Amino acid sequence: MFESIKDQIKNINKIVVVTGAGISQESGIPTFRGKDGLWRNYDAMKLATIDAFYDNPKLVWEWYNERRKNIFQAQPNQGHKAIAELEKYAQVIVLTQNIDGLHQKAGSSKVLELHGSIVTIKCSVCDYREEILTEISILPPLCKCGNILRPDVVWFGEILPQNVWKNAIIFASQCDLMIVVGTSLVVSPANTLPIYAKQNNSFLIEINPENTDMSIDMDLVIKNTSAVALPEFVSLFKKNSYD
């Protein structure tokens, strides 16, 4: 699967892994865009915009309670674990579009959450922010300041956390290797990260069961799942460390 690059492994020191919903789908978390996606029974615009939230915060929170319950029960798969294991052999930064915290649960120490975290709740007005791992019982929940609390995620039409995004660009621009895993690369601006890496002459690997719009720009395309492909990729580093 990775035989064509086994000789390059010894020259790789900085790895950036860009992950999307596909890797979490392997842990039982539905994607937005797949046939079993989260949008199947709902209009996305009624659930994932700030206007929709203010229009019907109880409905949005009911949906997010279900998502939180599903995510808290989910466990990292072999793809998540392989990314964490890579830290034994190189400097690894994970830039994820996922909001589920599974990379951290798997043991990855340097994770930038581009779209926020469903674990964290924040006030829609003041600076209150807190990780809450239990079901939200009163809907919609209210802050001590009296305003509505919301999931600390990036909704459609909102900008990414700018400090996170600026650091993501820096890491993407400095890596030797970028691995793009389980993302269709259609969501902006995260889909520009491979461009920053390419400008640094980084080697680009895409791992996805299906081609994406950027497959043609990759140096190596692996049409497989992350749970299958990533452990095999890590094995190259293991072999190299023994040589």
Side-chain angles (χ1 to χ4, degrees), residues 39-56:
W39 300 143
R40 185 178 47 161
N41 299 319
Y42 299 99
D43 178 352
M45 303 311 289
K46 290 183 179 178
L47 296 170
T49 68
I50 190 65
D51 290 339
F53 179 69
Y54 282 130
D55 184 53
N56 195 340

PDB file of all heavy atoms in Angstrom, residues 39-56:
ATOM      1  N   TRP A  39     -27.698  14.793   8.167  1.00  0.00           N
ATOM      2  CA  TRP A  39     -28.686  15.681   7.540  1.00  0.00           C
ATOM      3  C   TRP A  39     -29.868  14.904   6.965  1.00  0.00           C
ATOM      4  O   TRP A  39     -30.785  15.485   6.424  1.00  0.00           O
ATOM      5  CB  TRP A  39     -28.058  16.473   6.393  1.00  0.00           C
ATOM      6  CG  TRP A  39     -26.917  17.360   6.746  1.00  0.00           C
ATOM      7  CD1 TRP A  39     -25.808  17.578   5.975  1.00  0.00           C
ATOM      8  CD2 TRP A  39     -26.755  18.190   7.892  1.00  0.00           C
ATOM      9  NE1 TRP A  39     -24.974  18.465   6.586  1.00  0.00           N
ATOM     10  CE2 TRP A  39     -25.533  18.859   7.767  1.00  0.00           C
ATOM     11  CE3 TRP A  39     -27.517  18.417   9.031  1.00  0.00           C
ATOM     12  CZ2 TRP A  39     -25.060  19.745   8.731  1.00  0.00           C
ATOM     13  CZ3 TRP A  39     -27.036  19.291   9.994  1.00  0.00           C
ATOM     14  CH2 TRP A  39     -25.831  19.948   9.840  1.00  0.00           C
ATOM     15  N   ARG A  40     -29.843  13.602   7.070  1.00  0.00           N
ATOM     16  CA  ARG A  40     -30.846  12.785   6.385  1.00  0.00           C
ATOM     17  C   ARG A  40     -32.281  13.143   6.782  1.00  0.00           C
ATOM     18  O   ARG A  40     -33.170  13.213   5.944  1.00  0.00           O
ATOM     19  CB  ARG A  40     -30.583  11.307   6.685  1.00  0.00           C
ATOM     20  CG  ARG A  40     -31.483  10.346   5.942  1.00  0.00           C
ATOM     21  CD  ARG A  40     -31.122   8.924   6.262  1.00  0.00           C
ATOM     22  NE  ARG A  40     -30.958   8.727   7.697  1.00  0.00           N
ATOM     23  CZ  ARG A  40     -31.005   7.541   8.281  1.00  0.00           C
ATOM     24  NH1 ARG A  40     -31.192   6.468   7.561  1.00  0.00           N
ATOM     25  NH2 ARG A  40     -30.857   7.426   9.587  1.00  0.00           N
ATOM     26  N   ASN A  41     -32.504  13.383   8.073  1.00  0.00           N
ATOM     27  CA  ASN A  41     -33.864  13.633   8.550  1.00  0.00           C
ATOM     28  C   ASN A  41     -34.134  15.091   8.901  1.00  0.00           C
ATOM     29  O   ASN A  41     -35.207  15.436   9.364  1.00  0.00           O
ATOM     30  CB  ASN A  41     -34.148  12.763   9.792  1.00  0.00           C
ATOM     31  CG  ASN A  41     -34.052  11.290   9.479  1.00  0.00           C
ATOM     32  OD1 ASN A  41     -34.508  10.853   8.428  1.00  0.00           O
ATOM     33  ND2 ASN A  41     -33.437  10.536  10.369  1.00  0.00           N
ATOM     34  N   TYR A  42     -33.141  15.934   8.689  1.00  0.00           N
ATOM     35  CA  TYR A  42     -33.287  17.336   9.082  1.00  0.00           C
ATOM     36  C   TYR A  42     -32.775  18.253   7.976  1.00  0.00           C
ATOM     37  O   TYR A  42     -31.943  17.876   7.162  1.00  0.00           O
ATOM     38  CB  TYR A  42     -32.489  17.632  10.356  1.00  0.00           C
ATOM     39  CG  TYR A  42     -32.907  16.842  11.560  1.00  0.00           C
ATOM     40  CD1 TYR A  42     -32.201  15.705  11.943  1.00  0.00           C
ATOM     41  CD2 TYR A  42     -34.005  17.224  12.331  1.00  0.00           C
ATOM     42  CE1 TYR A  42     -32.580  14.974  13.058  1.00  0.00           C
ATOM     43  CE2 TYR A  42     -34.386  16.507  13.442  1.00  0.00           C
ATOM     44  CZ  TYR A  42     -33.673  15.379  13.811  1.00  0.00           C
ATOM     45  OH  TYR A  42     -34.042  14.665  14.912  1.00  0.00           O
ATOM     46  N   ASP A  43     -33.274  19.468   8.000  1.00  0.00           N
ATOM     47  CA  ASP A  43     -32.736  20.524   7.162  1.00  0.00           C
ATOM     48  C   ASP A  43     -31.572  21.142   7.920  1.00  0.00           C
ATOM     49  O   ASP A  43     -31.748  21.701   9.005  1.00  0.00           O
ATOM     50  CB  ASP A  43     -33.830  21.567   6.894  1.00  0.00           C
ATOM     51  CG  ASP A  43     -33.334  22.727   6.052  1.00  0.00           C
ATOM     52  OD1 ASP A  43     -32.118  22.810   5.792  1.00  0.00           O
ATOM     53  OD2 ASP A  43     -34.168  23.551   5.655  1.00  0.00           O
ATOM     54  N   ALA A  44     -30.376  21.033   7.337  1.00  0.00           N
ATOM     55  CA  ALA A  44     -29.181  21.510   8.027  1.00  0.00           C
ATOM     56  C   ALA A  44     -29.304  22.963   8.449  1.00  0.00           C
ATOM     57  O   ALA A  44     -28.831  23.355   9.519  1.00  0.00           O
ATOM     58  CB  ALA A  44     -27.956  21.327   7.120  1.00  0.00           C
ATOM     59  N   MET A  45     -29.945  23.745   7.646  1.00  0.00           N
ATOM     60  CA  MET A  45     -30.044  25.172   7.943  1.00  0.00           C
ATOM     61  C   MET A  45     -30.961  25.461   9.130  1.00  0.00           C
ATOM     62  O   MET A  45     -31.010  26.564   9.636  1.00  0.00           O
ATOM     63  CB  MET A  45     -30.509  25.942   6.706  1.00  0.00           C
ATOM     64  CG  MET A  45     -29.606  25.749   5.495  1.00  0.00           C
ATOM     65  SD  MET A  45     -27.845  25.991   5.856  1.00  0.00           S
ATOM     66  CE  MET A  45     -27.819  27.761   6.097  1.00  0.00           C
ATOM     67  N   LYS A  46     -31.715  24.445   9.565  1.00  0.00           N
ATOM     68  CA  LYS A  46     -32.542  24.614  10.764  1.00  0.00           C
ATOM     69  C   LYS A  46     -31.791  24.189  12.026  1.00  0.00           C
ATOM     70  O   LYS A  46     -32.290  24.348  13.130  1.00  0.00           O
ATOM     71  CB  LYS A  46     -33.830  23.791  10.639  1.00  0.00           C
ATOM     72  CG  LYS A  46     -34.813  24.342   9.601  1.00  0.00           C
ATOM     73  CD  LYS A  46     -36.077  23.520   9.590  1.00  0.00           C
ATOM     74  CE  LYS A  46     -37.083  24.080   8.573  1.00  0.00           C
ATOM     75  NZ  LYS A  46     -38.313  23.253   8.520  1.00  0.00           N
ATOM     76  N   LEU A  47     -30.599  23.632  11.821  1.00  0.00           N
ATOM     77  CA  LEU A  47     -29.888  23.077  12.960  1.00  0.00           C
ATOM     78  C   LEU A  47     -28.497  23.666  13.191  1.00  0.00           C
ATOM     79  O   LEU A  47     -28.022  23.666  14.314  1.00  0.00           O
ATOM     80  CB  LEU A  47     -29.747  21.556  12.781  1.00  0.00           C
ATOM     81  CG  LEU A  47     -31.051  20.768  12.763  1.00  0.00           C
ATOM     82  CD1 LEU A  47     -30.796  19.339  12.331  1.00  0.00           C
ATOM     83  CD2 LEU A  47     -31.697  20.797  14.132  1.00  0.00           C
ATOM     84  N   ALA A  48     -27.844  24.150  12.169  1.00  0.00           N
ATOM     85  CA  ALA A  48     -26.427  24.481  12.290  1.00  0.00           C
ATOM     86  C   ALA A  48     -26.083  25.878  11.800  1.00  0.00           C
ATOM     87  O   ALA A  48     -25.084  26.088  11.126  1.00  0.00           O
ATOM     88  CB  ALA A  48     -25.584  23.440  11.554  1.00  0.00           C
ATOM     89  N   THR A  49     -26.917  26.841  12.134  1.00  0.00           N
ATOM     90  CA  THR A  49     -26.581  28.251  11.918  1.00  0.00           C
ATOM     91  C   THR A  49     -26.974  29.015  13.174  1.00  0.00           C
ATOM     92  O   THR A  49     -27.860  28.583  13.928  1.00  0.00           O
ATOM     93  CB  THR A  49     -27.313  28.873  10.717  1.00  0.00           C
ATOM     94  OG1 THR A  49     -28.711  28.954  11.030  1.00  0.00           O
ATOM     95  CG2 THR A  49     -27.112  28.068   9.446  1.00  0.00           C
ATOM     96  N   ILE A  50     -26.351  30.139  13.383  1.00  0.00           N
ATOM     97  CA  ILE A  50     -26.679  30.936  14.563  1.00  0.00           C
ATOM     98  C   ILE A  50     -28.107  31.464  14.495  1.00  0.00           C
ATOM     99  O   ILE A  50     -28.811  31.543  15.502  1.00  0.00           O
ATOM    100  CB  ILE A  50     -25.663  32.096  14.746  1.00  0.00           C
ATOM    101  CG1 ILE A  50     -25.869  32.779  16.101  1.00  0.00           C
ATOM    102  CG2 ILE A  50     -25.753  33.097  13.599  1.00  0.00           C
ATOM    103  CD1 ILE A  50     -25.584  31.907  17.305  1.00  0.00           C
ATOM    104  N   ASP A  51     -28.592  31.774  13.284  1.00  0.00           N
ATOM    105  CA  ASP A  51     -29.978  32.242  13.132  1.00  0.00           C
ATOM    106  C   ASP A  51     -30.962  31.148  13.524  1.00  0.00           C
ATOM    107  O   ASP A  51     -31.958  31.405  14.201  1.00  0.00           O
ATOM    108  CB  ASP A  51     -30.231  32.693  11.691  1.00  0.00           C
ATOM    109  CG  ASP A  51     -29.505  33.979  11.354  1.00  0.00           C
ATOM    110  OD1 ASP A  51     -29.143  34.715  12.293  1.00  0.00           O
ATOM    111  OD2 ASP A  51     -29.289  34.249  10.155  1.00  0.00           O
ATOM    112  N   ALA A  52     -30.682  29.915  13.089  1.00  0.00           N
ATOM    113  CA  ALA A  52     -31.559  28.806  13.438  1.00  0.00           C
ATOM    114  C   ALA A  52     -31.547  28.556  14.946  1.00  0.00           C
ATOM    115  O   ALA A  52     -32.571  28.230  15.541  1.00  0.00           O
ATOM    116  CB  ALA A  52     -31.120  27.543  12.693  1.00  0.00           C
ATOM    117  N   PHE A  53     -30.384  28.728  15.536  1.00  0.00           N
ATOM    118  CA  PHE A  53     -30.259  28.522  16.982  1.00  0.00           C
ATOM    119  C   PHE A  53     -31.117  29.512  17.749  1.00  0.00           C
ATOM    120  O   PHE A  53     -31.852  29.147  18.673  1.00  0.00           O
ATOM    121  CB  PHE A  53     -28.791  28.650  17.387  1.00  0.00           C
ATOM    122  CG  PHE A  53     -28.554  28.479  18.867  1.00  0.00           C
ATOM    123  CD1 PHE A  53     -28.724  27.247  19.482  1.00  0.00           C
ATOM    124  CD2 PHE A  53     -28.151  29.551  19.639  1.00  0.00           C
ATOM    125  CE1 PHE A  53     -28.513  27.095  20.841  1.00  0.00           C
ATOM    126  CE2 PHE A  53     -27.921  29.407  20.998  1.00  0.00           C
ATOM    127  CZ  PHE A  53     -28.102  28.175  21.601  1.00  0.00           C
ATOM    128  N   TYR A  54     -31.054  30.770  17.376  1.00  0.00           N
ATOM    129  CA  TYR A  54     -31.860  31.776  18.067  1.00  0.00           C
ATOM    130  C   TYR A  54     -33.347  31.606  17.750  1.00  0.00           C
ATOM    131  O   TYR A  54     -34.202  31.918  18.570  1.00  0.00           O
ATOM    132  CB  TYR A  54     -31.395  33.180  17.680  1.00  0.00           C
ATOM    133  CG  TYR A  54     -30.123  33.601  18.391  1.00  0.00           C
ATOM    134  CD1 TYR A  54     -29.045  34.111  17.685  1.00  0.00           C
ATOM    135  CD2 TYR A  54     -30.014  33.482  19.773  1.00  0.00           C
ATOM    136  CE1 TYR A  54     -27.868  34.490  18.337  1.00  0.00           C
ATOM    137  CE2 TYR A  54     -28.857  33.861  20.436  1.00  0.00           C
ATOM    138  CZ  TYR A  54     -27.788  34.363  19.717  1.00  0.00           C
ATOM    139  OH  TYR A  54     -26.651  34.728  20.377  1.00  0.00           O
ATOM    140  N   ASP A  55     -33.641  31.066  16.569  1.00  0.00           N
ATOM    141  CA  ASP A  55     -35.028  30.866  16.175  1.00  0.00           C
ATOM    142  C   ASP A  55     -35.676  29.729  16.972  1.00  0.00           C
ATOM    143  O   ASP A  55     -36.842  29.813  17.366  1.00  0.00           O
ATOM    144  CB  ASP A  55     -35.103  30.574  14.671  1.00  0.00           C
ATOM    145  CG  ASP A  55     -36.535  30.447  14.191  1.00  0.00           C
ATOM    146  OD1 ASP A  55     -37.330  31.363  14.456  1.00  0.00           O
ATOM    147  OD2 ASP A  55     -36.842  29.428  13.544  1.00  0.00           O
ATOM    148  N   ASN A  56     -34.888  28.652  17.194  1.00  0.00           N
ATOM    149  CA  ASN A  56     -35.431  27.504  17.920  1.00  0.00           C
ATOM    150  C   ASN A  56     -34.313  26.807  18.693  1.00  0.00           C
ATOM    151  O   ASN A  56     -33.865  25.715  18.336  1.00  0.00           O
ATOM    152  CB  ASN A  56     -36.093  26.522  16.951  1.00  0.00           C
ATOM    153  CG  ASN A  56     -36.978  25.506  17.669  1.00  0.00           C
ATOM    154  OD1 ASN A  56     -36.833  25.270  18.868  1.00  0.00           O
ATOM    155  ND2 ASN A  56     -37.896  24.889  16.938  1.00  0.00           N
TER     156      ASN A  56
END
